């Protein structure tokens, strides 16, 4: 027999294939020296375990694989995908008829209705440096995140342009979160995720320690963090914060995160001192006789989205009519809301909450606290803004 001749089919193999126990048929189907005729015969075996063993066998002929691609059991099809996916670089564009048949079979599995089949293929292809781009792009746009996420997060085949296209037109909301978790994310991709303002993706981006984020993007997130508490803790935990962003965060961060922020070694001395003073004031301050302070009521209402409670607390603390606060809200006056917080005796960080939550001012146009954590407007300008709000609307 020549070196390329097919293995001879023994009588015992025929007998096992036709009449053997399921365990014996599984062993026969998984044998690397099994004859193609036997594997082809077992590809239609009544037991899914046997067919799965045939699907996983590298010696199985392509026509049998083609049959198994239409098997009624998703587990069998998944085994076939697990075998064929690593061969994708060799199968794609091959001239050999058998390899072309294998490529067609793999593409059929990528389009399989069962998520488990597509997920297995995605896991096999996610880290291949020479995986066919057509398959990678198709898997990355899968609406099932069990399929898309492994490829989005790990495939070297996806370019920055590919990922920007996914951000612009995500097949599923969680697509953005998967991109945000990708290692070594570029500043351009981080900018694109921040610009969406989506809560979960931005939080995932902040938690991605290898992501490069520009200071301007961090500033936008810091302003939005007044409305989205989920952003504050990952901001405080960022491994590197530009000095400007750290100072702005220091003027805004929620009370329970003060100590963690004050412990950062990359803050300048003045900011650290101011933070520690805030921590000490919080620890030393006696509880108010009536429960929470007006500022605490205002901040807690803001974090819960209770706008009417925010407006009432602000008006009461500032000693102004409720209509005056309502006017600032209707006008979406960032300067007016900052000035009302100043008159109320609130800390500058409360003004960010007033603008982005109560006034629905965009984080991109909201006034951030000064670099030292102070008010963004001068006292004279804030007094003038309050006078404007006292005048009735035309």
């Amino acid at each position: 027999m020549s070196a390329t001749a097919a293995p001879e089919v023994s009588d015992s193999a025929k007998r096992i294939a036709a009449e053997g126990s399921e365990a014996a048929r599984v062993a026969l189907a998984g044998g690397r020296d099994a004859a193609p005729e036997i594997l082809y015969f077992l590809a239609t075996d009544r037991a899914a375990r046997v067919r799965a063993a045939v699907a996983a066998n590298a010696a199985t002929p392509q026509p049998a694989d083609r049959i198994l691609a239409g098997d009624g059991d998703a587990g069998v099809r998944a085994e076939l995908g697990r075998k064929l996916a690593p061969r994708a670089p060799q199968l794609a564009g091959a001239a050999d008829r058998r390899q072309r048949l294998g490529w067609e079979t793999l593409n059929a599995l990528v389009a399989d209705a069962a998520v488990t089949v597509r997920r297995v293929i995605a896991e096999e292809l996610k880290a291949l440096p020479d995986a066919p781009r057509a398959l990678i792009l198709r898997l990355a746009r899968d609406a099932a995140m069990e399929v898309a996420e492994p490829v989005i997060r790990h495939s070297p085949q996806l370019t920055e342009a590919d990922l920007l296209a996914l951000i612009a037109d995500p097949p599923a909301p969680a697509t953005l979160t998967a991109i945000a978790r990708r290692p070594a994310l570029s500043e351009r991709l981080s900018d694109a995720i921040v610009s969406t303002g989506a809560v979960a993706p931005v939080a995932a981006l902040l938690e991605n320690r290898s992501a490069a984020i520009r200071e301007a993007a961090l500033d936008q997130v810091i302003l939005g963090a007044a409305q989205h508490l989920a952003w504050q803790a990952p901001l405080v935990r960022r491994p590197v914060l530009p000095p400007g962003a750290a100072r702005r965060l220091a003027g805004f961060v929620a009370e329970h995160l003060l100590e963690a922020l004050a412990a950062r070694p990359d803050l300048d001395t003045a900011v650290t001192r101011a933070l520690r003073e805030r921590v000490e004031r919080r620890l030393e301050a006696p509880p108010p006789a009536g429960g929470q302070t007006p500022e605490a009521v205002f901040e807690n209402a803001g974090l819960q989205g209770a706008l009417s409670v925010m407006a009432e607390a602000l008006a009461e603390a500032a000693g102004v009519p409720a209509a005056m606060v309502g006017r600032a809200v209707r006008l979406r006056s960032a300067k007016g809301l900052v000035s009302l917080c100043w008159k109320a005796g609130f800390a500058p960080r409360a003004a960010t909450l007033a603008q982005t939550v109560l006034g629905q001012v965009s984080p991109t146009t909201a006034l951030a606290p000064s670099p030292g954590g102070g008010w963004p407007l001068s006292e004279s300008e804030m007094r003038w803004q309050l006078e404007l709000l006292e005048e009735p609307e035309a």
Side-chain angles (χ1 to χ4, degrees):
M1 183 174 63
S2 68
T4 57
E8 184 178 345
V9 183
S10 67
D11 291 338
S12 63
K14 292 178 182 177
R15 187 166 54 255
I16 291 171
E19 304 170 0
S21 67
E22 182 176 320
R25 300 198 313 276
V26 168
L28 179 62
R32 296 299 180 182
D33 57 348
E37 294 92 332
I38 290 293
L39 293 170
Y40 192 88
F41 178 80
L42 292 174
T44 57
D45 192 276
R46 62 187 178 277
R49 285 181 60 218
V50 176
R51 302 196 305 275
V54 177
N57 196 333
T60 299
Q62 290 291 355
D65 281 346
R66 192 66 171 171
I67 292 172
L68 292 165
D71 194 278
D73 189 294
V76 173
R77 304 195 304 275
E79 284 299 325
L80 181 61
R82 185 175 285 109
K83 176 181 72 177
L84 292 180
R87 302 180 190 173
Q90 292 75 45
L91 297 175
D96 181 82
R97 179 181 173 280
R98 288 176 299 178
Q99 289 188 317
R100 285 202 311 273
L101 188 58
W103 177 244
E104 292 170 6
T105 302
L106 180 57
N107 275 274
L109 293 171
V110 170
D112 198 283
V115 170
T116 184
V117 176
R118 306 196 306 276
R119 179 184 59 79
V120 164
I121 295 172
E123 286 288 346
E124 292 293 334
L125 291 178
K126 68 181 182 183
L128 284 184
D130 53 352
R133 265 181 59 79
L135 288 188
I136 292 297
L137 291 173
R138 185 169 182 174
L139 292 167
R141 294 204 65 84
D142 199 297
M145 291 314 299
E146 303 99 309
V147 179
E149 184 163 8
V151 170
I152 290 173
R153 290 184 62 179
H154 301 291
S155 177
Q157 285 287 2
L158 289 176
T159 65
E160 186 177 82
D162 295 332
L163 295 167
L164 286 170
L166 284 169
I167 294 171
D169 181 25
T175 299
L176 298 176
T177 303
I179 296 172
R181 290 174 175 156
R182 186 176 168 94
L185 210 66
S186 70
E187 289 182 340
R188 189 178 177 195
L189 288 167
S190 294
D191 286 348
I193 290 169
V194 169
S195 69
T196 68
V199 177
V202 173
L205 175 68
L206 295 172
E207 291 168 356
N208 182 350
R209 290 175 171 256
S210 66
I213 308 177
R214 298 182 215 271
E215 186 169 0
L218 281 172
D219 285 345
Q220 188 174 343
V221 173
I222 288 168
L223 287 171
Q227 189 171 1
H228 304 303
L229 188 61
W231 295 353
Q232 293 190 21
L235 273 168
V236 170
R237 291 194 299 263
R238 285 292 299 172
V240 177
L241 278 176
R247 284 193 297 271
R248 284 182 281 280
L249 183 59
F252 166 75
V253 70
E255 294 293 322
H256 70 283
L257 296 171
L258 281 176
E259 293 182 52
L261 184 61
R264 289 185 63 100
D266 56 342
L267 296 182
D268 61 45
T269 306
V271 173
T272 300
R273 187 186 309 115
L275 280 169
R276 295 202 178 281
E277 288 174 358
R278 279 183 61 193
V279 173
E280 290 170 5
R281 285 199 302 271
R282 183 193 63 184
L283 295 175
E284 294 172 0
Q292 291 184 319
T293 64
E295 183 174 0
V297 171
F298 177 81
E299 289 188 341
N300 289 335
L303 295 175
Q304 296 168 17
L307 303 187
S308 61
V309 177
M310 290 182 75
E312 182 180 346
L314 180 56
E316 182 179 348
V320 301
M324 193 167 164
V325 175
R327 192 171 299 129
V329 171
R330 283 194 301 277
L331 296 173
R332 293 192 176 181
S333 171
K335 291 182 178 180
L337 290 164
V338 167
S339 303
L340 284 166
C341 288
W342 169 73
K343 183 168 175 54
F346 292 172
R349 67 180 182 279
T352 306
L353 200 66
Q355 295 173 82
T356 59
V357 179
L358 180 59
Q360 298 294 297
V361 176
S362 168
T364 58
T365 56
L367 301 173
S370 69
W375 295 99
L377 303 173
S378 66
E379 286 194 18
S380 60
E381 185 170 5
M382 288 189 284
R383 292 182 191 280
W384 181 62
Q385 288 295 326
L386 292 170
E387 290 175 7
L388 291 177
L389 289 174
E390 288 175 352
E391 296 177 4
E393 296 176 69

